Amino acid sequence: MKLRFQKDALVNGINIVLKAVPSKTTMSILECILIDASGSEIKLTGNDMELGIETKVAGEILEHGKIALDAKLFSEITRRVSSESSAVVSIESDERFNTTIRCENSVFNIQGRDGEEFAYLPYIERDKYICLSQFTLKEVIQQTIFSISPNDSNKMMSGELFEVNENQLQVVSLDGHRISIRKVRLKDHYDDIKVIVPGKTLGEVSKILSGDNEKEVLIYFSANHILFEFDNTIVVSRLIEGEYFRISQMLSSDYETKISINKKEFLDCIERATILIRENDKKPLIINITDNSMQLKLNSSFGSMNADLLIHKNGKDIMIGFNPKFLIDALRAIDDEEINLYMMNPKSPCFIKDDEENYIYLILPVNFNAASV
Amino acid sequence: MKLRFQKDALVNGINIVLKAVPSKTTMSILECILIDASGSEIKLTGNDMELGIETKVAGEILEHGKIALDAKLFSEITRRVSSESSAVVSIESDERFNTTIRCENSVFNIQGRDGEEFAYLPYIERDKYICLSQFTLKEVIQQTIFSISPNDSNKMMSGELFEVNENQLQVVSLDGHRISIRKVRLKDHYDDIKVIVPGKTLGEVSKILSGDNEKEVLIYFSANHILFEFDNTIVVSRLIEGEYFRISQMLSSDYETKISINKKEFLDCIERATILIRENDKKPLIINITDNSMQLKLNSSFGSMNADLLIHKNGKDIMIGFNPKFLIDALRAIDDEEINLYMMNPKSPCFIKDDEENYIYLILPVNFNAASV
């Protein structure tokens, strides 16, 4: 095999597929990136058997072939082989998979492996699909992924529900303490779809997506897999099996107190209060709403913080406690300047949502000792 | 005590003294920053008993007093209490050392400690001193500090020699494998001085120094201490006791091979070769000098790299091996575009120095198996 690339193009391609290369694995071939130039195009592939990424890289094929190269070494060498982004990098391998990477005055020799040993991406039937902009998909993922459960004790909580109904995509994540919901109107009407996508896959996809509003992503669905196609890249991932939680019964539009508040001020105040909390310290943030003012209070072994914020209130006064992290996560995800909170009582979930319900963040309150406030 | 500050000024002051606050200590009072407003100025102090830093902060004294506040909390609160750099921060403490920090709509309460418990900086007689620009001192430290020994097994190697002779300051560091020497011409003639300054002190001083060429630093020397005075800050540190290594007998101006080489190209090449080395991997970089070319070669279990560089040579051909890290450290410290290397034979130290010997880097070569090259 003998190939020639522009350094930048090669580095970009490697960075994309690197996201599917496992850092630890018992199958050492998976620590490699496959360079496949057996056809008319040059494709790079990374695959950890759950998640696979393939991307096409512009380059010159002087001699067809394929080779698997240690991902870390290959990435480091191409990234640092020259300080010029337009430098020409050539890669050549012989029948024993000895590989030479050349650029300017430097020559690297590393031992590659037979490309045939590499695990190919599964084949996905491309009939069921939806189409949306890269910008929207990236945003939807970033605005929901924080509330998946970080541990695997409940597999379903480590993924997100993707549900398509006519021309609407609804994305849901939850971890037992909170639920995040984003709804997106699609340009076309599609078949019904309801799948659970691993959070890891979505995290990697959101990193690769350019976030361009003009560029599209096609998402294909099969019985066990999801496939994202955009730019020169495809990402294939297994789905999580099982039936997702029924969230409709947890949602309610009743409320006793509705407040409007400036998002940035609210977020800044809560972030400030967390100075007094160390990790694993479960001190609640207590919110006391009276007339048109909100008092925030946090007590910990380090000290206390008090802050007052102006709000606009409808309904009853209320005193309610929250895990400040959950409020922070939701507020950071919201783009609006002014937000609405809906509350029933200090034991019932609080909803942060916009009027059209494009986003809904449900957060369970926490108990606090009213006597200590 | 009752004080008022502009947020920015207070945060800057805290950041300076924070460098002397130990992260772990058995004396919990040392984890505090002392605010001393008992006189006409407001001074902040951090002190780990080896190194002490005191800085004056502009502010309004509404009520005199002093208090010691937990450094981490105090720093976090003032840094994040407002997003406005010009916001007014007020600090108030009562006779029980309860302290209130107020800014905009937020109020923090934390428990302070009696300022009298705090360890004062030692008093230093200010007679023996030198004066140089902040720029020069910062540069001299950064260009030598990398070759102190990181572990304390030899206390003297963890410091740097500061030697003043008439109008010359010579700074030396060494770790048993290499020596770094920087000489600076001073504007005045001073008394002879020869002290060993802890590397930690110099590292912190170089971080605080603005690096301004127009601003000066006064350095005072006493029997056991060194004191740096600049801007509104003084840094006091213990010296390391003992007699420093005699380095003059290790320096030699004899050579068999002298080469001139472009520093950036040389450095880039060596850095590139280290892609093939993991930490603790002691593979030598082998340099083969013939006529007007230098061949660099590195072999490791990951592969090999070869590179060719143009040089200008005087004297004999030579093949010599180095720990690439030592070359990288020295080359990064040097500002010149073109550098000179002087070598005797593959067993003798290599010197990198300029014609005036403003800097001298001595690096011991390493053995390599010539048969495997």
Side-chain angles (χ1 to χ4, degrees):
Chain A
M1 189 195 74
K2 193 170 177 182
L3 311 174
R4 216 146 48 187
F5 301 89
Q6 222 176 21
K7 186 200 154 196
D8 244 19
L10 183 58
V11 169
N12 286 344
I14 293 171
N15 285 343
I16 290 173
V17 300
L18 211 48
K19 301 199 161 44
V21 177
S23 51
K24 272 181 190 169
T25 166
T26 47
M27 283 174 69
S28 65
I29 186 76
L30 299 184
E31 288 169 12
C32 293
I33 287 174
L34 174 70
I35 310 177
D36 184 350
S38 52
S40 60
E41 290 172 320
I42 308 174
K43 292 181 201 162
L44 303 183
T45 309
N47 189 357
D48 74 2
M49 305 304 277
E50 285 281 318
L51 170 69
I53 305 179
E54 179 188 290
T55 195
K56 287 177 205 156
V57 176
E60 219 178 318
I61 304 176
L62 305 172
E63 196 187 302
H64 289 284
K66 57 170 91 171
I67 187 105
L69 298 178
D70 178 84
K72 218 165 143 187
L73 265 185
F74 181 37
S75 149
E76 279 282 284
I77 291 172
T78 48
R79 200 163 55 78
R80 288 165 57 181
V81 80
S82 166
S83 48
E84 296 294 323
S85 60
S86 61
V88 174
V89 178
S90 79
I91 303 178
E92 200 174 340
S93 61
D94 65 18
E95 63 288 351
R96 285 173 175 178
F97 314 114
N98 277 315
T99 304
T100 307
I101 304 174
R102 240 177 261 271
C103 185
E104 291 170 356
N105 61 352
S106 303
V107 184
F108 281 88
N109 278 292
I110 59 173
Q111 183 59 51
R113 293 176 60 171
D114 187 355
E116 296 296 336
E117 287 176 34
F118 202 82
Y120 271 89
L121 299 191
Y123 173 77
I124 311 294
E125 198 75 60
R126 300 195 182 191
D127 51 354
K128 254 187 156 177
Y129 78 100
I130 60 169
C131 173
L132 65 172
S133 79
Q134 291 203 26
F135 174 83
T136 303
L137 181 59
K138 192 176 178 116
E139 193 186 56
V140 162
I141 295 172
Q142 288 172 345
Q143 291 177 336
T144 51
I145 199 157
F146 57 84
S147 64
I148 61 171
S149 176
N151 62 53
D152 263 359
S153 64
N154 185 325
K155 191 78 186 155
M156 233 132 22
M157 285 191 186
S158 72
E160 300 200 9
L161 178 72
F162 270 58
E163 189 172 7
V164 178
N165 193 262
E166 299 203 326
N167 67 338
Q168 182 180 270
L169 166 67
Q170 175 170 279
V171 175
V172 180
S173 71
L174 60 82
D175 68 0
H177 304 285
R178 50 187 170 159
I179 307 177
S180 303
I181 304 171
R182 272 285 276 125
K183 291 176 195 164
V184 175
R185 186 170 298 271
L186 302 171
K187 278 184 213 142
D188 290 307
H189 285 242
Y190 297 97
D191 295 343
D192 284 5
I193 294 165
K194 200 170 174 181
V195 297
I196 311 171
V197 189
K200 183 183 181 308
T201 298
L202 295 171
E204 301 301 351
V205 166
S206 79
K207 283 182 215 155
I208 307 172
L209 286 169
S210 68
D212 197 325
N213 213 347
E214 304 298 309
K215 289 189 182 171
E216 290 186 332
V217 191
L218 288 165
I219 310 180
Y220 296 92
F221 302 88
S222 74
N224 299 310
H225 290 92
I226 187 167
L227 184 153
F228 300 85
E229 186 172 61
F230 53 96
D231 302 331
N232 293 310
T233 302
I234 61 173
V235 177
V236 183
S237 164
R238 271 184 208 274
L239 293 170
I240 295 173
E241 283 174 52
E243 186 157 359
Y244 201 69
F245 313 91
R246 294 209 193 128
I247 57 155
S248 55
Q249 63 214 40
M250 303 181 221
L251 306 178
S252 145
S253 52
D254 284 356
Y255 64 89
E256 293 282 353
T257 312
K258 175 188 174 185
I259 63 159
S260 307
I261 188 166
N262 178 289
K263 191 205 79 170
K264 189 176 178 309
E265 283 181 15
F266 191 29
L267 177 57
D268 282 353
C269 252
I270 305 171
E271 287 181 322
R272 215 165 279 152
T274 59
I275 298 171
L276 299 173
I277 322 179
R278 295 292 169 267
E279 257 179 292
N280 304 322
D281 199 352
K282 297 218 167 131
K283 296 295 174 191
L285 177 80
I286 295 159
I287 294 178
N288 192 12
I289 291 162
T290 49
D291 296 331
N292 286 328
S293 107
M294 176 195 269
Q295 204 200 16
L296 297 173
K297 193 175 177 70
L298 194 141
N299 276 313
S300 83
S301 53
F302 296 104
S304 68
M305 192 213 71
N306 282 277
D308 286 298
L309 289 173
L310 278 179
I311 56 167
H312 186 81
K313 188 193 76 167
N314 285 112
K316 293 187 184 166
D317 288 355
I318 186 172
M319 194 191 283
I320 186 167
F322 292 103
N323 178 333
K325 184 188 178 317
F326 295 165
L327 285 174
I328 289 172
D329 284 343
L331 295 176
R332 281 188 185 157
I334 298 172
D335 233 358
D336 296 343
E337 227 175 276
E338 199 79 14
I339 55 161
N340 297 320
L341 273 75
Y342 300 82
M343 284 156 287
M344 185 59 110
N345 61 55
K347 308 270 182 202
S348 302
C350 161
F351 291 88
I352 309 176
K353 60 186 180 184
D354 62 344
D355 294 339
E356 300 79 29
E357 301 201 339
N358 287 320
Y359 64 79
I360 304 175
Y361 295 104
L362 176 159
I363 302 176
L364 288 180
V366 291
N367 286 326
F368 59 93
N369 184 349
S372 76
V373 179
Chain B
M1 189 194 75
K2 193 168 177 184
L3 311 173
R4 216 147 47 187
F5 300 90
Q6 222 176 22
K7 186 201 153 196
D8 244 17
L10 183 58
V11 169
N12 286 344
I14 293 172
N15 285 343
I16 290 173
V17 300
L18 211 48
K19 299 199 162 44
V21 177
S23 52
K24 273 181 190 169
T25 167
T26 48
M27 284 174 69
S28 64
I29 186 76
L30 299 183
E31 288 169 13
C32 293
I33 288 174
L34 174 70
I35 310 177
D36 184 351
S38 52
S40 60
E41 290 173 320
I42 308 174
K43 291 181 201 163
L44 304 183
T45 309
N47 189 356
D48 74 1
M49 305 305 276
E50 285 282 317
L51 170 68
I53 305 179
E54 178 187 292
T55 195
K56 287 178 205 154
V57 176
E60 220 178 317
I61 303 177
L62 305 173
E63 194 187 303
H64 288 285
K66 57 170 92 170
I67 187 104
L69 297 178
D70 179 84
K72 219 166 142 185
L73 266 185
F74 181 37
S75 150
E76 279 281 284
I77 291 172
T78 47
R79 201 164 55 79
R80 288 165 56 182
V81 80
S82 166
S83 48
E84 296 294 323
S85 59
S86 62
V88 174
V89 179
S90 79
I91 302 178
E92 200 173 341
S93 60
D94 65 17
E95 64 287 350
R96 287 174 175 176
F97 315 113
N98 276 318
T99 304
T100 307
I101 303 174
R102 241 177 262 271
C103 184
E104 291 170 356
N105 61 351
S106 304
V107 185
F108 281 87
N109 278 293
I110 58 174
Q111 182 58 52
R113 293 176 61 171
D114 187 355
E116 296 296 336
E117 289 177 33
F118 202 82
Y120 273 89
L121 299 191
Y123 173 76
I124 310 294
E125 198 74 63
R126 300 194 182 192
D127 52 354
K128 255 189 155 178
Y129 78 100
I130 60 170
C131 173
L132 65 172
S133 78
Q134 291 203 25
F135 175 83
T136 303
L137 180 59
K138 193 178 176 114
E139 192 186 56
V140 162
I141 295 172
Q142 287 172 344
Q143 290 177 338
T144 51
I145 199 156
F146 57 85
S147 64
I148 61 171
S149 176
N151 62 55
D152 263 359
S153 64
N154 186 324
K155 190 79 185 153
M156 234 132 24
M157 285 191 186
S158 72
E160 299 200 10
L161 178 72
F162 271 58
E163 189 173 7
V164 178
N165 192 262
E166 300 204 325
N167 67 340
Q168 182 180 271
L169 166 67
Q170 176 170 279
V171 176
V172 180
S173 71
L174 59 82
D175 67 0
H177 304 284
R178 49 186 170 160
I179 307 176
S180 303
I181 305 171
R182 273 283 276 125
K183 291 175 194 160
V184 175
R185 186 171 298 270
L186 302 171
K187 278 183 213 142
D188 290 308
H189 285 242
Y190 298 98
D191 294 343
D192 283 6
I193 293 164
K194 200 170 174 182
V195 298
I196 311 171
V197 190
K200 183 183 181 310
T201 299
L202 295 171
E204 301 302 351
V205 166
S206 79
K207 284 181 214 154
I208 307 172
L209 286 168
S210 68
D212 197 325
N213 214 347
E214 304 298 310
K215 290 190 182 170
E216 290 185 333
V217 191
L218 288 165
I219 311 180
Y220 296 92
F221 302 87
S222 75
N224 299 310
H225 290 92
I226 186 168
L227 184 153
F228 300 84
E229 187 170 60
F230 53 95
D231 302 331
N232 293 311
T233 302
I234 61 172
V235 178
V236 183
S237 164
R238 270 184 209 274
L239 293 170
I240 296 172
E241 284 174 50
E243 185 156 0
Y244 201 68
F245 312 93
R246 296 212 189 122
I247 56 154
S248 57
Q249 63 212 42
M250 303 183 220
L251 306 177
S252 145
S253 53
D254 283 356
Y255 64 88
E256 292 282 352
T257 311
K258 174 187 174 186
I259 63 161
S260 307
I261 188 166
N262 178 288
K263 192 204 79 171
K264 188 175 179 308
E265 283 181 16
F266 191 29
L267 177 57
D268 282 353
C269 251
I270 306 171
E271 287 182 321
R272 215 165 280 152
T274 59
I275 299 171
L276 299 173
I277 321 179
R278 296 293 167 267
E279 257 179 292
N280 304 322
D281 198 353
K282 297 217 167 131
K283 296 295 173 188
L285 177 81
I286 295 159
I287 295 179
N288 192 12
I289 291 162
T290 50
D291 296 330
N292 287 327
S293 107
M294 174 194 269
Q295 203 200 16
L296 298 172
K297 193 175 177 71
L298 193 142
N299 277 313
S300 83
S301 53
F302 297 104
S304 68
M305 191 213 70
N306 282 277
D308 285 299
L309 290 173
L310 278 179
I311 56 167
H312 187 81
K313 188 193 76 168
N314 285 111
K316 292 188 186 168
D317 289 355
I318 186 173
M319 195 192 283
I320 187 168
F322 291 104
N323 179 333
K325 183 186 178 321
F326 295 166
L327 285 173
I328 289 172
D329 284 343
L331 295 176
R332 281 188 186 156
I334 299 171
D335 233 358
D336 296 344
E337 226 174 277
E338 199 79 13
I339 55 162
N340 297 321
L341 274 76
Y342 300 82
M343 284 157 286
M344 185 60 109
N345 61 53
K347 308 270 181 201
S348 302
C350 162
F351 291 87
I352 308 176
K353 59 185 181 185
D354 63 344
D355 293 339
E356 300 79 29
E357 300 201 341
N358 287 319
Y359 63 80
I360 304 175
Y361 295 103
L362 176 160
I363 301 175
L364 289 179
V366 291
N367 285 327
F368 58 93
N369 183 351
S372 74
V373 180

